[in-house]
Amino acid sequence: MTTEATTEATLLTKARQSLETFHDVHVDDDGALTFRHGEVPCAVQAMQLAEGLTVLSLTCVVAWDLPEDQGLAVSAAERAGQGLFGTLGVVHSDRGMDVTLRYAFPADGLEVTALGTLLMLVVSTASQLRVDLLGESTT
């Protein structure tokens, strides 16, 4: 196993340990972690961006197949500017709008407890956004 692969595997193991305090975590064949926070599916991956810079990337699918609504898209964009933990994305498809929250951060040196706190801040934000957006899409 290369040094890069070892570093990524170590970070994913720490992430798994930190998340298992709160969620059932599935380890995919490629090592990525998947779990659900309430109704929000999430995935964690590790990657080396440059030598000495390995990051964890967390993606949460906040909502999907929302009705095409300019006001809802604007609301999601406004929330994106307010967030400290993550970047919101809106994708338009034939079935409506999908909203994701992504957060990537250097994770080397973080202990399991600190990593769990950081990950839970992001997924809690995603869950709250889901509640807010689904409430807006039904009004």
Side-chain angles (χ1 to χ4, degrees), residues 57-122:
S57 174
L58 171 62
T59 302
C60 301
V61 182
V62 175
W64 51 93
D65 298 341
L66 294 174
E68 283 290 337
D69 178 339
Q70 184 62 28
L72 195 58
V74 168
S75 178
E78 288 172 353
R79 282 182 174 82
Q82 297 168 354
L84 296 175
F85 296 105
T87 301
L88 274 179
V90 175
V91 176
H92 301 273
S93 71
D94 292 339
R95 294 184 307 232
M97 296 187 313
D98 300 335
V99 180
T100 59
L101 179 69
R102 295 187 175 144
Y103 187 61
F105 58 97
D108 279 335
L110 287 178
E111 294 301 322
V112 170
T113 303
L115 184 54
T117 299
L118 184 56
L119 291 169
M120 291 310 297
L121 283 168
V122 179

Side-chain angles (χ1 to χ4, degrees), residues 12 14 17 20 43 80 83 115 122 127:
L12 285 171
K14 282 185 177 181
Q17 291 168 344
E20 284 177 338
L115 184 54
V122 179
S127 288

